[in-house]
Amino acid sequence: MNRNDAITLVVSLLLAGSVGNALAQEDTSTDEEGGQPQGISETQGDESEQDASSDEPQADEEDSEASSVTPTGPGGRVDTGPAGEAPSGGGETSMPQPGADAWMESPDSWATFNGDLRAQKYSPADQITPENVGELEQAWEYHTGDVSDGSDDIPMSVWSATPLFVNDTLYLGTPFYRIIALDPGNGQEKWTFDPDARLEALTQPMMKSRGVAYWEADEPQAGEACQKIVYIGTMDAKLYGVDADTGERCAAFGDNGMLDVNQWNTINDKWPLSLLQPPTVYNDTLFLGWAGKDWTDAVAPPGTVFALDARTGERRWTFHALPEEVVDRTGTANVWASMSLDPESGLLYIPVSSPSPNYYGGERTEELPLATSVTALNTDTGEVVWSRQLVHHDIWDYDTVAPPTLVDIQKDGESVPALVQPSKQGFLFVLNRQTGEPVYPIEEREVPASDVEGEEAAPTQPFVDVPEPVIPDDWPGISRLADMVGLGECSRKAKGLRYEGRFTPPSLEGTLTYPPTTGGSQWGGGAVDPEKGVFVINSNSVVQIYRLIPRDEFEQLGQSGETGGYYAQGDTAYGFHLETFLNWAGMPCWKPPYGTIAAYDLNTGERLWNEPFGQVQKHGFYMPESWGSVTIGAPVITRSGLIFIGASMDSRVRALDLESGEVLWKHLVEAPAVSMPAVYTYEGRQYVTFAVGGNSILLPKVSDQVVSFALPD
Amino acid sequence: MTNKAQGTAYGAWLLLAISIIALILAAVATFNEGNGIAYTPGTYLVLISTALMLVGSLLLTFARGMPRWLGGLIAFLLLLDLLGTGLAAYLLQAEWLLVSIGIGLVAWLVHAIADPATGKRDRTMTLRQEAAS
């Protein structure tokens, strides 16, 4: 027994329940799903959309727009209208042009959610280096005031916004859906915009936001308003557009600066299309997915992606991920995470989530090839260029959850235009981003059959061996410590569960599921150094128990936090019970580490290093570093060879050496920084800025802190 | 423990001083927002344990007339308190508290080895021991 073991034993006895309770909640209620029919896009003529100002969902109204529906790709549809036509009243032509917008490509800026359209999360800044990062100090701090611990009428806040630095301003979107513009050098407030949004848990159980998006005209007209616009979406499906210099509403956008996206929620409109993820902006167009409500319904809004005119909000096309003929039995397969886009080819890459109901597919047994896929769309038309399904007949809620990272890699002496698609399953799919063909092999392997009446699990699933998955192939095994404290409870429990490796289907007796819906990897995805070809990603190692409950036995009992408890799954044959595998004391029954961060050489597929990351903190006590921490958020990489990341339970932000994974610097913040930082250079000084919001999945600790770090003057 | 009826209990005095410092540090850890551990059960725990440590060291320092077995019991409980608080401080990553507890352990050793014994010996036991010798 080494020192850590000894400490572990004593602490675990003292803190029975601590880690476990945290992990018990750690499931993916981040699953911001919702959803429409498969692989279809439509293009629209959209005069009617600008008067979509009603607060009430226009759910069952006939979509009155003149549109045509075109099947596209494997089962998809596109509603098309006058895509590419000049927007009415916009002033300038908004025909999509190849190539990135100039304002987005500045090496000093951090202009999008993922840093750039390619979701590389990479900054060419090199002022802060591994040698001097130890001197990093807090440059300024700001509090938005938009925070709730859930103790009053407003649900608890979950804030995962990436601050945007562009237009010499730092823009933030809050979980109360305000936009705040700050001076990037000192954090002084420039202006704020408050849409007076409904602060109700209409779909997600918490007030959530991942921030704002920014657009700028190619040639902004001086003195004219709304040549630069900042957008924020709300949980009740409103998209606001305000002038980036003043914070005033843009009158030409939607109805006086507000576009009601729920006007397009016309099928199975059980809840609003929550706009928690800011849109992707490219060539005067906004690409917009949405989030919904997981696990409650069988039939739900089917997944769509909208392409909107950046100036007016007019809809150019709508992509549908599900075929029309199945939407009376299923839904979702929506895009709730961020997207990436190749500005050279004009292809939009969307991570499509799983269809509803999430854990029983007996009433949606036909192939839904765009569900749980990574799909490339033509930005002009919304048509599917290629698609690759990452889970067949998904009954584990393995949403494709993160944007693929686009990067050119060197393989066999050739430059390959690639993408890296992280997954909840733990696989890193490396594909040719022009064709969708694997760069490293993807093998269809036989997987266990379902023993539940009515279910038809897919006979094979795609597996990836290179790069090595972010989590082990097999579950970590019983933690002796937890088993000892539980007087053998963990072992006894495991014996009664079904486990036959990855993709063991949910069962009546309970299936030990590894990885479960928490992942593996989560919505943050990874970061890449495009010059070195090194990809970095944080991941979780969690074990959960999936149990189906026959409808006549199902009772709607309680739910624990966002991610555990009983879920009806509509009126399908089975309800569902989700449980994290814990002993009576709340300790995880599986072996640590619970979270790691790893680096991969994409040119060879080799994993360079893989280290426990962060520390579990419960009741104030920090668990051993070798345990790691479940993480929510994502890393960014700088040219100087640093990784900056918050994400961990222990409310610390860190800088790691890209070469070794060694922690070179860390700093305490007010709550877990469940976001990705922005790295930018302003007036010659490099800043690293974190939005510190917290997430109850990790810890019941919330904050409204924005904190920026820089080297001393 | 050495039985020295006369002299100053340096160890007990040092332990008392350390207990006061540890209580202050625990209070700072508990109520100083922004330190990552404030208002958590862990800090409340060390706040209570350092308060008990203070009570114990006060007794050792000033209640010199207590029965010897009681003095020994208090010293033993203080050792447990020091060890438990030290572990908690380590896991809370409260470095200054950990340092003070380290010094407290030294003080405890000084008390155990060098301080004059507390109070009255158990008369019956003393007679038996004398008879045995």
Side-chain angles (χ1 to χ4, degrees):
Chain A
M1 182 178 274
N2 61 27
R3 177 171 160 274
N4 269 351
D5 291 338
I7 291 164
T8 298
L9 176 61
V10 177
V11 169
S12 300
L13 290 167
L14 284 172
L15 304 181
S18 62
V19 182
N21 283 338
L23 291 170
Q25 298 181 39
E26 162 271 302
D27 201 343
T28 25
S29 66
T30 54
D31 275 30
E32 294 156 0
E33 285 201 353
Q36 173 137 348
Q38 158 176 343
I40 305 173
S41 26
E42 354 167 11
T43 21
Q44 273 88 17
D46 280 333
E47 282 101 36
S48 64
E49 293 159 16
Q50 290 188 47
D51 45 341
S53 55
S54 164
D55 281 347
E56 295 304 314
Q58 299 169 20
D60 293 323
E61 286 179 17
E62 194 64 33
D63 190 352
S64 61
E65 299 155 7
S67 65
S68 60
V69 177
T70 312
T72 177
R77 294 176 289 138
V78 188
D79 293 350
T80 50
E85 287 186 11
S88 55
E92 291 183 18
T93 302
S94 59
M95 283 287 287
Q97 301 292 326
D101 299 294
W103 55 267
M104 201 178 277
E105 295 289 282
S106 162
D108 290 344
S109 71
W110 197 267
T112 75
F113 180 76
N114 290 303
D116 73 356
L117 287 173
R118 301 169 189 84
Q120 292 186 339
K121 305 184 184 81
Y122 175 76
S123 169
D126 56 6
Q127 195 176 87
I128 305 170
T129 66
E131 289 73 35
N132 65 21
V133 70
E135 301 166 29
L136 211 57
E137 60 183 29
Q138 185 173 312
W140 54 262
E141 181 183 16
Y142 175 85
H143 287 268
T144 68
D146 290 358
V147 62
S148 170
D149 62 5
S151 59
D152 56 15
D153 293 341
I154 301 174
M156 185 178 273
S157 51
V158 171
W159 192 31
S160 300
T162 309
L164 302 191
F165 171 65
V166 63
N167 191 34
D168 278 350
T169 304
L170 196 71
Y171 297 103
L172 295 156
T174 77
F176 294 176
Y177 310 114
R178 290 194 310 137
I179 304 175
I180 298 172
L182 300 179
D183 182 310
N186 57 26
Q188 294 295 309
E189 198 174 283
K190 289 185 169 182
W191 55 258
T192 64
F193 166 74
D194 188 352
D196 293 320
R198 287 172 69 181
L199 302 183
E200 296 173 36
L202 301 171
T203 52
Q204 300 292 299
M206 314 282 177
M207 300 311 304
K208 292 185 179 178
S209 174
R210 288 201 282 276
V212 295
Y214 176 91
W215 166 85
E216 182 176 315
D218 288 339
E219 294 174 6
Q221 306 298 308
E224 201 170 313
C226 296
Q227 298 293 294
K228 303 166 183 175
I229 300 179
V230 183
Y231 307 90
I232 191 163
T234 67
M235 196 176 291
D236 64 346
K238 308 289 193 296
L239 183 67
Y240 291 88
V242 305
D243 186 283
D245 290 325
T246 64
E248 297 296 320
R249 285 176 183 239
C250 290
F253 184 77
D255 179 17
N256 191 30
M258 189 275 287
L259 180 70
D260 185 358
V261 174
N262 219 43
Q263 66 180 297
W264 303 312
N265 185 6
T266 55
I267 303 173
N268 308 333
D269 59 323
K270 300 199 170 176
W271 22 256
L273 309 181
S274 293
L275 307 177
L276 310 179
Q277 175 68 46
T280 301
V281 182
Y282 170 68
N283 274 352
D284 301 334
T285 307
L286 311 179
F287 301 97
L288 187 66
W290 46 266
K293 188 174 188 176
D294 257 359
W295 310 342
T296 304
D297 303 303
V299 179
T304 46
V305 172
F306 306 114
L308 309 173
D309 185 285
R311 290 180 174 84
T312 65
E314 284 184 15
R315 190 166 50 151
R316 296 179 187 279
W317 49 255
T318 304
F319 162 78
H320 303 268
L322 293 174
E324 201 157 18
E325 57 270 22
V326 302
V327 298
D328 58 343
R329 286 172 285 125
T330 180
T332 64
N334 55 310
V335 179
W336 60 263
S338 63
M339 312 169 194
S340 51
L341 197 152
D342 186 342
E344 303 309 323
S345 66
L347 292 186
L348 175 71
Y349 300 94
I350 58 171
V352 185
S353 74
S354 58
S356 64
N358 295 95
Y359 302 102
Y360 175 68
E363 288 161 35
R364 51 170 174 84
T365 51
E366 53 273 269
E367 288 189 6
L368 305 173
L370 297 187
T372 317
S373 74
V374 53
T375 295
L377 302 182
N378 181 320
T379 49
D380 282 345
T381 64
E383 291 170 339
V384 174
V385 177
W386 60 259
S387 179
R388 178 166 289 276
Q389 189 166 56
L390 307 182
V391 178
H392 309 312
H393 188 69
D394 189 347
I395 47 178
W396 300 269
D397 194 23
Y398 282 157
D399 303 340
T400 309
V401 75
T405 295
L406 313 188
V407 60
D408 293 343
I409 63 176
Q410 304 301 315
K411 190 162 184 290
D412 303 328
E414 289 182 3
S415 178
V416 180
L419 64 76
V420 185
Q421 177 63 66
S423 64
K424 285 187 179 181
Q425 308 89 284
F427 298 131
L428 297 174
F429 295 90
V430 183
L431 309 176
N432 183 311
R433 67 175 180 269
Q434 292 173 348
T435 64
E437 291 304 310
V439 173
Y440 293 107
I442 299 173
E443 191 180 332
E444 287 288 332
R445 293 183 192 156
E446 288 187 8
V447 291
S450 174
D451 56 7
V452 170
E453 189 180 345
E455 183 59 274
E456 296 175 23
T460 66
Q461 295 287 358
F463 281 72
V464 175
D465 291 330
V466 178
E468 194 172 334
V470 299
I471 53 168
D473 285 333
D474 279 320
W475 80 291
I478 293 284
S479 156
R480 278 186 300 176
L481 178 64
D483 206 28
M484 192 170 69
V485 171
L487 303 175
E489 180 190 3
C490 294
S491 304
R492 285 195 303 276
K493 213 169 183 178
K495 276 181 192 159
L497 298 173
R498 185 179 179 198
Y499 177 72
E500 294 164 46
R502 271 196 171 91
F503 300 109
T504 306
S507 57
L508 297 178
E509 70 268 33
T511 294
L512 191 151
T513 308
Y514 183 81
T517 178
T518 43
S521 303
Q522 260 295 343
W523 56 261
V528 73
D529 180 333
E531 295 172 10
K532 297 187 176 88
V534 174
F535 181 78
V536 173
I537 190 163
N538 52 306
S539 56
N540 301 322
S541 176
V542 175
V543 179
Q544 289 186 303
I545 300 167
Y546 285 11
R547 190 159 59 89
L548 294 171
I549 304 169
R551 179 60 52 199
D552 54 2
E553 296 172 23
F554 180 80
E555 278 184 81
Q556 184 59 67
L557 301 176
Q559 293 167 5
S560 119
E562 279 195 70
T563 54
Y566 293 83
Y567 300 91
Q569 302 197 109
D571 57 359
T572 52
Y574 301 93
F576 180 70
H577 182 245
L578 178 63
E579 174 191 355
T580 303
F581 187 25
L582 309 172
N583 67 12
W584 65 268
M587 295 171 63
C589 279
W590 68 98
K591 294 175 186 167
Y594 306 117
T596 55
I597 187 166
Y600 294 84
D601 182 344
L602 293 176
N603 297 325
T604 62
E606 180 192 0
R607 186 159 70 187
L608 302 172
W609 49 262
N610 183 33
E611 298 291 335
F613 177 73
Q615 282 180 275
V616 169
Q617 187 186 18
K618 194 68 180 179
H619 302 318
F621 297 109
Y622 296 92
M623 300 298 128
E625 288 183 354
S626 60
W627 286 16
S629 161
V630 172
T631 53
I632 299 177
V636 305
I637 296 176
T638 66
R639 176 181 282 155
S640 58
L642 287 171
I643 302 162
F644 288 98
I645 180 170
S648 59
M649 266 180 96
D650 58 0
S651 305
R652 289 192 171 109
V653 295
R654 291 172 166 85
L656 281 64
D657 186 352
L658 180 61
E659 294 286 327
S660 63
E662 181 189 355
V663 176
L664 301 176
W665 169 87
K666 60 183 174 183
H667 194 281
L668 188 66
V669 291
E670 291 182 358
V674 290
S675 58
M676 69 188 82
V679 178
Y680 57 87
T681 303
Y682 177 66
E683 294 181 341
R685 194 178 187 200
Q686 183 184 342
Y687 295 85
V688 184
T689 304
F690 292 84
V692 179
N695 187 321
S696 64
I697 291 172
L698 294 181
L699 212 60
K701 195 172 177 185
V702 291
S703 174
D704 61 347
Q705 183 187 31
V706 186
V707 58
S708 190
F709 300 94
L711 292 173
D713 277 328
Chain B
M1 283 181 207
T2 316
N3 181 15
K4 294 175 188 165
Q6 303 297 322
T8 306
Y10 291 109
W13 277 101
L14 182 58
L15 199 52
L16 177 62
I18 288 299
S19 299
I20 293 168
I21 292 168
L23 181 60
I24 293 167
L25 291 172
V28 170
T30 305
F31 302 115
N32 178 29
E33 279 192 72
N35 61 9
I37 53 174
Y39 300 106
T40 58
T43 54
Y44 290 127
L45 184 67
V46 294
L47 192 64
I48 292 167
S49 68
T50 51
L52 291 173
M53 196 184 299
L54 178 60
V55 171
S57 51
L58 278 169
L59 288 171
L60 279 192
T61 308
F62 296 111
R64 306 293 302 164
M66 76 177 93
R68 201 169 160 201
W69 65 267
L70 185 56
L73 178 63
I74 290 172
F76 176 69
L77 291 175
L78 269 171
L79 177 63
L80 292 184
D81 195 344
L82 282 162
L83 292 172
T85 306
L87 178 61
Y90 174 77
L91 294 168
L92 290 167
Q93 300 186 354
E95 287 86 1
W96 285 108
L97 182 59
L98 185 59
V99 168
S100 73
I101 296 300
I103 299 169
L105 281 168
V106 173
W108 187 91
L109 279 174
V110 171
H111 168 74
I113 294 167
D115 276 2
T118 51
K120 305 147 191 162
R121 302 168 85 185
D122 184 313
R123 192 167 197 79
T124 313
M125 184 61 75
T126 306
L127 288 173
R128 276 188 197 154
Q129 283 171 342
E130 282 171 359
S133 64

